Amino acid sequence: MWRVERIHVAIPPRQDCNRPDYRPDQECPILSAPAVSLHDFAIGQLRDLLRAVGLADSAQSATKLLGETLGPGCRLPLSAVPHWTSNVADDHTPVEFSVALAQNERPVVRMIVESLAEQPGPRANLAAALGVLDRLARRRGLNLGQLDRVRDLFLPDDPQGAFAFWYSLIVGPETPPAIKVYLNPDVRGRESATALVGEGLSRLGLSAALPAISEHGLRRDGLDRFSFFALDLTDENRARVKTYVSHDDAVIADVVAAAAAVPDVDPVLLADVCELACGGAGPFSRRPLMSSYTFLSGDTERPSGYSLYIPVRDYVQDDLEACERVLAIMARCGFDPAPFVMALASLVQRPLGDGVGLIAHVSLRLGRPKPGVSVYLSSEAYDVTPSRAKALLV
């Protein structure tokens, strides 16, 4: 059986010239090392992560893709202050990693990436991301048909909200990395989000699906809202359309009701995983739980898949507790925890009890196409959020 202590002991603490046991006659590895860019730091993390979960053969193509999508703004040296307050991660690092597990399949590594312009800003970052997209489309033959149908809706000249365009890069065995894009329903203001998603679904032939989402996922006026709209950039016969709904102040019964929009979802498993991750039945008043609905080719009125995204970092004291909860979820779902353990070990640079947020989210996928569990891991390139126990002592 895997034990959390094995991770804690196996990973040496980050060398720090300000530690009490540091001696002036020692060379300071931090001060003597050349300045590293966010681009190079993230690529190094990805290479280590792929090696840890058995995907080292994909490292060359995956690191090249990550480096390109990060944009020119990520080639600046890492500093104490992020060059752009990206909402991808709590410390504003514009990349987040995850490991997705499915029964009888090898692990898949995913990344959420925000492209940064040389002089970052809402318009400049969107322009940088679309410039990357144009180059990738020409070189890789991406299918932009679905995106083109909703481009004018979600990509205005003056984007509002926390972001306009994020990439999702998906690295699996024996195939080139796949690409998905996240669009922001709040890009024209939060008050327009539901209408924007409704029009987007209609243009993609899914106008009849909005009532099912509204009935189950948007039940609580003012507390349930659309938060992401996502598209696969692949052949439309295989491409997914995904809508995401955030649930403020939800209890477990609320997400069970949201999942009922999808056939063949196990409500008992969903409730158990949610309780294991959050340590209770709610209400969850910190960062909200989030549902996503997956539409596959042939879907018209109802989604084929449902996922629940749980911000576990908001409901634990530290990453040691978060790790224990993820291991419990793996056991409940019948997954070998080894890929998660190895992935975590490849990224952690500190004792798990010293901070909270390295393990950011855990998600449960139900229905089609691939039921499973994903764990989202932060880069922590800029900062580590102190554990809640330590924060109380300050």
Side-chain angles (χ1 to χ4, degrees), residues 11 36 63 92 99 118 145 149 167-168 170 177 184 195 230 247 256 274 276 291 316 319 323 339 343 345:
I11 305 302
V36 63
T63 54
H92 305 306
V99 177
E118 197 164 357
R149 290 179 209 150
Y167 283 99
S168 174
I170 305 158
N184 188 357
H247 306 291
V256 170
C274 190
L276 285 170
S291 297
V316 294
D319 283 304
C323 184

Side-chain angles (χ1 to χ4, degrees), residues 272-291:
D272 287 351
V273 168
C274 190
E275 184 168 3
L276 285 170
C278 296
F284 306 113
S285 56
R286 293 174 179 168
R287 213 179 309 255
L289 307 182
M290 186 185 301
S291 297

